[in-house]
Amino acid sequence: MELSGAILEIVKIIWAPIGKCVKYHRSLEEKMMILHKKLEVVNSRKEDIESRMDIELRSGKQVKKEVKLWLENVQKMNGEVETIDQEVEEGKFVSRARLGKLVIKKILEVDELHQKGSFMDRLVVDGIEGDKAMLPNTVIVGDTTGRNMEAIWACLMDDDVRKVGVHGIGGVGKTTIMKHIYNRLLVDTSKFDNVIWVTVPKTTDVIQLQGKIAHAFELSLSENESETIRAANLHAMLRMRKRYVLILDDMWEEFDLEDIGIPEPTRDNECKLVLTTRLSDVCVRMGCKKIKVQLLSEKETWNLFLEKVGRDLVSPDIETIAKDIAKECGRLPLAIITIARSMKGVVDHCEWRNALEELRVSTSGINDMWKVYEQLKFSYIHLQDERLRHCLLYCALYPEDFLIRRKELIEHLIAGGVIEGMKNRCAEFDKGHAMLNKLENACLLESVADHNNDMKWVKMHDLIRDMALQITSRSPKFLVEAGVNLRDFPNIDKWEKSLEKVSLMHNYIPEVPSNLSPKCHRLSTLLLSSNHTLTLIPNSFFVHMHALQVLDLSDTSLEILPDSISELENLTALLLRGCNQLKYVPSLAKLTALRKLDLSHSGIKEIPQGMEMLVSLKYLNLYARNLEILPAGIFPKLTSLQFLMIYGASKTLKVKGEEVACLRKLETFAGQLYDQNDFNAYVRSTLKIIKCHDIISLSSISSLNNACELKSCEIWDCDGIECVLQLSSCILLENLVSLKLSYLCNLRVRLSRGIAASLPSGIFSALKNLSIAGCPSIKKLFEVSLLLHLQNLEDLRVYGCYQMEEIIDQPTGPEYVLGESSNLCTNNDFMTISLPLLRDLSLESLPKLESIYRGTMVCHSLQVIQVFGCPKLKRIPLSLPLIDGQPSPPPKLERISTSTWEALEWEHPNAKNVLKPLVQLISTNFLASYTL
């Protein structure tokens, strides 16, 4: 037994290795199949990684060492498996066991190789520093440019800002600033790994832009695929990139990033997009934070000029002329640099004086100045709407640096046919404002407004105007000598046959020569306004001007208009405003195309003959102090009238309500009716009541009971007005958009006590603008329950009400009950109220105002808060949105203007710190000079 057991143990010891060999021998084919399948997976991963490398690998980048080693190991493994395949094919029986063992080992190695090939991060690293070249650039001059650049840099460092839009007039230095930013990002790599510069094609070609972006990232896109496929491929490649800044320079049109293939910049990918453009609208539509690049100051202009012309070359006796030349550059860096370089090395006084004269009269003689105009002209050419081009060129008819009133300009554009085909005057003005906005957004016009934004003008930059005049020196042909102190009328040589528009406004021309009869058969516009010394125009002057459409003789001293005006049958606008010496206007019977006749503040005593024939007349202003009588029956014949104004202080100039009422297209009427019966016969969409002392409230005007079309109501200087509506009122005013109450000395309440809670549901539901001014008796503006009817209120202005103590009052007591539906919710003793659409809150010159509201207000649409001259007001009851428990400004708030910022308290203790960046402090000197 012992012997047999020993033999069995010996057999087991001998068989163990033999059994393994047999096992390896028998399962070789099966193991080889497993090895090949696993190796196939590894090779697939290798191909994917190599594809990724093609995308990520570019100039200045290197493959990571671990990736390179892994690829080498995969290649080595493929070679070893190929050797095993060859030995298996040879079929040597003795070696099969050895091969089977080797294959199992390789399977384990392939598994390990597969695991190590899971590269989740980038496959490449930056190469040697300094491979990417700095962009050539000029030195930054002046604090203005420095502030512009730092504002952009702050946005790049701010994690909450992902897209930045840098906009401004052509030649202001947007690209120069961004080149400095680009170079700065190359040096400071703490936040971004890469910065890419792409100059956008001026006419956005998707294929071309995709190619430029791919080239900048050193990627390749197929030329034979569609925009969509290219966008998808570019997006897939860029999605793997992180921490880059993409700069798109000189954009003219907005586009969807996904259409190009640019991933949206997010916190996750840590990328940013910066674009430069002349069009602020592009910034808005691309969802960018806007930064406007400002013009240089006069001091910075002079310093830049000296920098480029050479400080040592400007001697003291030339310096005065040189400063005048620098001023002619309009604070525009491109013009300053161009003109300074053209004067570099010039030492002759005569050349400096000649250069100044050429700049003042015509810039065409200045070397290289054409480059500046080509830059500016491209903005003009890019205006796709021909009417916008006409509008811009029309602005050049005004004097240099002139503030052009928007309303006046739009009136001229309407009269000149630039704005036409609209259904009413409101639509025409909307169109006009939209056109001017577009020109402002294109940086071709500058916007100017007064303190309250009530008066608005546009202004043309000097070089934009010069560019426009350069265009109009050829076609369309203009003659513009406006505001240049002319004492003599331009001689006949300047009155070319091809002239289309002539502007000689704001001069000192005394008369038109008696023998002058220009043969300007194409002339459509002639502006001679504000020549206060002009007393004579000969009859011959208009004889050959058959195409004339707009004739502006406003603010001249003419007493008699020439009879030849009667033959201007194409005339659409005759403007005689402020001609206070005017006594005679010839017959207008033939001027059937006339659409606008302005005789306001003129000296006429009777209306011109033939006025009843003006069937196309839309605008008639007869606000003339000396006008004595209005013949009956004329107005009903002027069936196209939309605007009619008559001098209202006359005892004789009265109009029958039925005559005005029959003018179905009339939108605005200002004048004196015979009595209240006539007034009741005429109530329109716009109502202005001035010096009507017998009216107690709007409720006492019976015709307003059915005034469902009334949209605008102004009440001025009516001593009898004590409240706006009385308890017995049936007036709905459901379409009223604007209500202005001014200088009502006895107004004590907007609504009689108790009426607010019982008003019909539709009343004031359309009200957007509410203004209360100069009402010294009113103490509380309205009860809180009235807010139920003011949910569309956008603009609330209260100023000059010296007894005003509280804006919104919440009465107390059991008799005070709210309606069922409301945007009011109780909070302790006072309600939280909501004005969801309120954008502008302005409180000025209210010395006794102690409270806006004792509760809390929610106004998430608020854009502007203005508080001036309210020394007793200590609390702003605005509820601020909370983010992670901390207050943040209302999402649309742009500005808080006040002189008492430190004294104001807010609902949240940390509100001041959050809102301080939006504060615009107003000095006491400004307030002292401010009057209603």
Side-chain angles (χ1 to χ4, degrees):
M1 290 291 292
E2 291 180 3
L3 181 60
S4 62
I7 294 172
L8 182 61
E9 286 299 322
I10 293 170
V11 170
K12 285 182 179 179
I13 292 171
I14 296 171
W15 180 251
I18 295 173
K20 286 184 180 180
C21 289
V22 172
K23 180 182 177 183
Y24 290 144
H25 187 284
R26 288 178 177 175
S27 61
L28 180 60
E29 282 76 12
E30 180 184 345
K31 298 301 181 184
M32 283 299 296
M33 288 179 61
I34 294 173
L35 176 61
H36 278 292
K37 286 181 179 180
K38 287 182 177 289
L39 187 60
E40 186 178 355
V41 172
V42 170
N43 281 320
S44 295
R45 173 163 287 183
K46 174 177 175 286
E47 290 175 6
D48 291 341
I49 287 174
E50 286 174 339
S51 296
R52 282 176 58 191
M53 281 173 49
D54 288 340
I55 295 170
E56 295 184 26
L57 198 59
R58 67 188 196 280
S59 177
K61 296 291 181 181
Q62 296 177 353
V63 179
K64 287 181 177 179
K65 289 182 179 179
E66 60 176 321
V67 177
K68 194 173 182 181
L69 180 60
W70 185 87
L71 292 171
E72 290 174 355
N73 286 338
V74 172
Q75 192 65 30
K76 182 179 177 182
M77 180 60 71
N78 280 314
E80 290 175 356
V81 172
E82 188 175 343
T83 300
I84 294 173
D85 283 336
Q86 290 174 357
E87 289 189 28
V88 171
E89 285 178 8
E90 290 175 2
K92 293 180 180 179
F93 180 85
V94 178
S95 63
R96 284 179 65 86
R98 178 183 61 80
L99 290 174
K101 183 178 180 180
L102 180 60
V103 169
I104 291 175
K105 180 183 176 185
K106 292 302 175 187
I107 288 174
L108 295 175
E109 290 179 3
V110 170
D111 282 340
E112 184 181 358
L113 198 58
H114 182 263
Q115 290 175 5
K116 288 183 177 180
S118 300
F119 299 107
M120 304 304 295
D121 202 358
R122 296 169 64 191
L123 305 174
V124 298
V125 292
D126 290 332
I128 300 171
E129 296 250 347
D131 283 351
K132 183 167 275 191
M134 294 272 188
L135 293 177
N137 210 352
T138 57
V139 177
I140 291 292
V141 176
D143 292 339
T144 300
T145 308
R147 284 193 299 271
N148 290 331
M149 192 163 71
E150 288 309 313
I152 298 167
W153 185 262
C155 288
L156 289 174
M157 297 299 110
D158 187 346
D159 289 337
D160 292 330
V161 179
R162 308 314 306 177
K163 293 186 281 189
V164 184
V166 181
H167 68 103
I169 186 174
V172 78
K174 302 181 294 296
T175 299
T176 298
I177 289 173
M178 286 313 304
K179 283 181 178 180
H180 279 277
I181 295 285
Y182 176 91
N183 291 342
R184 187 171 170 183
L185 286 169
L186 289 181
V187 175
D188 184 351
T189 58
S190 60
K191 194 172 183 66
F192 302 102
D193 294 335
N194 198 9
V195 55
I196 299 297
W197 183 286
V198 175
T199 301
V200 181
K202 283 187 166 57
T203 54
T204 304
D205 181 315
V206 173
I207 294 287
Q208 189 179 359
L209 181 55
Q210 288 171 335
K212 277 177 166 278
I213 294 172
H215 178 74
F217 278 99
E218 299 198 4
L219 306 171
S220 60
L221 286 175
S222 172
E223 298 291 335
N224 301 320
E225 291 175 334
S226 67
E227 293 177 3
T228 304
I229 298 300
R230 283 165 59 91
N233 292 337
L234 182 60
H235 188 278
M237 291 186 283
L238 294 183
R239 193 174 55 193
M240 297 178 188
R241 305 294 178 89
K242 292 183 183 294
R243 288 168 52 93
Y244 65 76
V245 176
L246 174 59
I247 299 171
L248 299 178
D249 185 42
D250 201 21
M251 278 183 59
W252 288 89
E253 299 174 33
E254 73 280 1
F255 51 74
D256 289 331
L257 295 182
E258 64 181 31
D259 290 344
I260 305 299
I262 303 172
E264 188 72 25
T266 64
R267 279 178 174 266
D268 290 336
N269 60 32
E270 299 180 86
C271 297
K272 300 250 182 172
L273 173 69
V274 185
L275 60 90
T276 72
T277 178
R278 302 185 195 183
L279 312 172
S280 65
D281 271 358
V282 169
C283 300
V284 174
R285 291 169 184 161
M286 292 291 291
C288 296
K289 179 178 175 63
K290 292 197 303 179
I291 295 179
K292 183 174 183 180
V293 178
Q294 304 293 340
L295 295 166
L296 300 181
S297 67
E298 289 191 8
K299 181 179 179 181
E300 291 165 342
T301 296
W302 175 237
N303 286 335
L304 180 58
F305 187 87
L306 283 179
E307 184 76 28
K308 297 303 177 183
V309 79
R311 294 179 182 273
D312 298 337
L313 299 177
V314 180
S315 59
D317 49 344
I318 290 177
E319 184 172 323
T320 301
I321 305 172
K323 283 186 174 180
D324 288 339
I325 287 177
K327 286 180 182 178
E328 291 296 321
C329 299
R331 300 185 292 140
L332 192 69
L334 177 64
I336 299 165
I337 293 169
T338 301
I339 293 176
R341 284 174 177 168
S342 72
M343 298 305 296
K344 194 174 183 69
V346 177
V347 295
D348 192 325
H349 288 211
C350 296
E351 285 192 57
W352 281 91
R353 284 197 298 269
N354 179 63
L356 177 59
E357 182 63 21
E358 287 182 341
L359 276 171
R360 286 174 171 172
V361 178
S362 170
T363 53
S364 58
I366 298 295
N367 292 337
D368 296 329
M369 198 57 189
W370 63 271
K371 297 176 184 176
V372 178
Y373 290 119
E374 286 303 310
Q375 279 267 359
L376 300 176
K377 190 176 179 181
F378 194 85
S379 295
Y380 168 80
I381 295 171
H382 193 266
L383 297 172
Q384 297 176 352
D385 188 341
E386 190 69 24
R387 290 173 297 182
L388 288 176
R389 298 183 189 180
H390 286 307
C391 179
L392 183 69
L393 297 182
Y394 205 101
C395 293
L397 296 171
Y398 288 84
E400 186 174 310
D401 292 325
F402 195 78
L403 289 179
I404 310 170
R405 284 190 62 186
R406 269 180 165 251
K407 185 176 182 297
E408 176 188 325
L409 177 57
I410 293 171
E411 290 278 13
H412 273 282
L413 295 175
I414 294 170
V418 177
I419 299 173
E420 60 182 354
M422 312 305 290
K423 62 181 179 180
N424 52 41
R425 278 179 61 78
C426 180
E428 289 173 333
F429 270 84
D430 286 345
K431 180 66 176 178
H433 284 298
M435 291 172 67
L436 296 180
N437 290 343
K438 288 179 180 178
L439 292 175
E440 288 174 4
N441 290 332
C443 295
L444 290 168
L445 290 180
E446 301 171 30
S447 176
V448 182
D450 70 348
H451 167 64
N452 281 322
N453 233 22
D454 291 330
M455 292 286 289
K456 293 185 177 182
W457 301 266
V458 293
K459 182 175 177 289
M460 216 174 188
H461 188 276
D462 294 350
L463 294 181
I464 296 289
R465 182 174 183 269
D466 289 343
M467 177 269 295
L469 293 178
Q470 190 181 67
I471 292 171
T472 59
S473 66
R474 296 184 291 274
S475 178
K477 185 78 171 177
F478 288 10
L479 170 61
V480 181
E481 295 186 17
V484 293
N485 297 319
L486 279 185
R487 308 279 174 173
D488 297 311
F489 204 74
N491 59 47
I492 192 65
D493 295 337
K494 293 187 176 181
W495 293 83
E496 301 177 28
K497 292 182 179 180
S498 57
L499 278 177
E500 295 184 29
K501 288 180 172 60
V502 173
S503 176
L504 304 174
M505 64 168 74
H506 292 273
N507 282 306
Y508 300 94
I509 299 170
E511 62 180 27
V512 178
S514 58
N515 61 344
L516 193 65
S517 183
K519 295 181 179 179
C520 300
H521 301 293
R522 299 176 60 182
L523 189 65
S524 64
T525 300
L526 176 59
L527 309 178
L528 294 171
S529 56
S530 295
N531 278 282
H532 298 285
T533 56
L534 183 61
T535 58
L536 177 65
I537 299 179
N539 194 57
S540 61
F541 183 67
F542 295 108
V543 169
H544 302 294
M545 298 182 184
H546 303 299
L548 196 61
Q549 295 178 331
V550 178
L551 176 59
D552 191 353
L553 301 172
S554 300
D555 297 310
T556 60
S557 296
L558 291 167
E559 294 186 23
I560 299 173
L561 293 188
D563 288 332
S564 54
I565 286 179
S566 297
E567 304 300 322
L568 301 177
E569 296 183 7
N570 289 307
L571 202 64
T572 59
L574 179 58
L575 311 178
L576 302 166
R577 181 191 67 252
C579 296
N580 50 30
Q581 303 297 317
L582 189 63
K583 303 293 189 298
Y584 171 74
V585 178
S587 172
L588 306 179
K590 292 184 179 181
L591 307 187
T592 55
L594 198 66
R595 296 198 295 263
K596 180 173 183 177
L597 177 60
D598 190 349
L599 288 159
S600 60
H601 304 288
S602 69
I604 61 167
K605 293 184 177 181
E606 58 183 21
I607 64 173
Q609 291 183 2
M611 207 169 75
E612 68 278 5
M613 304 299 292
L614 305 181
V615 293
S616 300
L617 198 65
K618 294 183 177 182
Y619 179 106
L620 176 60
N621 196 329
L622 296 174
Y623 194 87
R625 183 185 297 272
N626 297 330
L627 191 60
E628 295 174 350
I629 191 169
L630 294 171
I634 285 184
F635 293 136
K637 295 178 181 179
L638 307 179
T639 55
S640 297
L641 267 186
Q642 296 175 338
F643 179 98
L644 174 61
M645 179 174 283
I646 301 167
Y647 184 65
S650 171
K651 294 181 179 179
T652 59
L653 286 182
K654 295 185 178 181
V655 184
K656 287 186 175 294
E658 59 190 27
E659 285 199 9
V660 183
C662 71
L663 298 172
R664 305 313 304 170
K665 295 182 181 180
L666 195 65
E667 300 168 26
T668 302
F669 169 67
Q672 189 175 186
L673 300 169
Y674 280 95
D675 51 36
Q676 187 158 327
N677 290 331
D678 278 302
F679 180 80
N680 290 338
Y682 172 75
V683 174
R684 291 283 177 175
S685 63
T686 301
L687 175 62
K688 182 181 286 188
I689 303 173
I690 303 174
K691 294 183 181 294
C692 296
H693 303 304
D694 296 333
I695 298 175
I696 300 174
S697 74
L698 290 179
S699 304
S700 61
I701 304 172
S702 59
S703 59
L704 290 182
N705 292 338
N706 298 311
C708 57
E709 296 181 6
L710 189 64
K711 293 183 179 179
S712 176
C713 180
E714 296 184 34
I715 307 176
W716 285 65
D717 198 13
C718 298
D719 294 346
I721 293 283
E722 296 179 358
C723 64
V724 179
L725 294 178
Q726 294 171 299
L727 188 59
S728 58
S729 175
C730 296
I731 300 174
L732 287 179
L733 301 178
E734 57 189 8
N735 290 312
L736 189 68
V737 174
S738 176
L739 176 61
K740 295 183 180 180
L741 308 175
S742 305
Y743 308 106
L744 307 177
C745 61
N746 290 309
L747 180 69
R748 287 175 171 80
V749 290
R750 275 203 62 221
L751 303 173
S752 62
R753 183 73 173 178
I755 190 175
S758 60
L759 286 172
S761 60
I763 195 166
F764 297 133
S765 59
L767 192 67
K768 293 183 179 180
N769 305 304
L770 174 59
S771 172
I772 316 289
C775 300
S777 300
I778 190 168
K779 293 185 177 182
K780 298 179 187 293
L781 188 56
F782 43 67
E783 295 178 4
V784 66
S785 58
L786 184 61
L787 295 183
L788 300 175
H789 305 275
L790 298 177
Q791 292 302 293
N792 286 311
L793 190 65
E794 296 179 1
D795 190 344
L796 175 59
R797 299 188 180 191
V798 186
Y799 49 102
C801 301
Y802 301 116
Q803 299 297 320
M804 183 73 74
E805 298 173 354
E806 190 168 31
I807 303 299
I808 303 170
D809 175 36
Q810 180 176 323
T812 57
E815 74 282 0
Y816 184 73
V817 181
L818 280 175
E820 293 181 4
S821 65
S822 81
N823 265 3
L824 318 174
C825 58
T826 57
N827 181 8
N828 298 327
D829 295 331
F830 294 97
M831 300 171 185
T832 297
I833 62 176
S834 174
L835 290 172
L837 300 183
L838 186 67
R839 296 187 303 185
D840 194 326
L841 174 63
S842 183
L843 307 173
E844 304 175 30
S845 300
L846 308 174
K848 293 190 176 182
L849 184 69
E850 295 181 358
S851 169
I852 296 174
Y853 176 58
R854 284 170 286 173
T856 303
M857 299 173 63
V858 178
C859 308
H860 289 326
S861 296
L862 202 59
Q863 295 177 0
V864 176
I865 300 174
Q866 295 188 147
V867 180
F868 306 137
C870 306
K872 292 189 176 183
L873 183 66
K874 304 299 182 185
R875 174 176 171 269
I876 305 293
L878 189 64
S879 174
L880 301 182
L882 295 179
I883 299 177
D884 297 329
Q886 291 300 313
S888 64
K892 298 183 180 179
L893 188 62
E894 298 174 357
R895 173 168 52 90
I896 302 172
S897 298
T898 181
S899 59
T900 57
W901 169 249
E902 294 301 330
L904 293 177
E905 298 176 358
W906 300 77
E907 290 299 293
H908 195 284
N910 197 33
K912 274 199 169 183
N913 294 332
V914 171
L915 297 173
K916 192 171 183 179
L918 303 175
V919 173
Q920 181 184 75
L921 290 175
I922 305 298
S923 69
T924 53
N925 291 335
F926 172 82
L927 293 175
S929 64
Y930 176 73
T931 56
L932 287 173

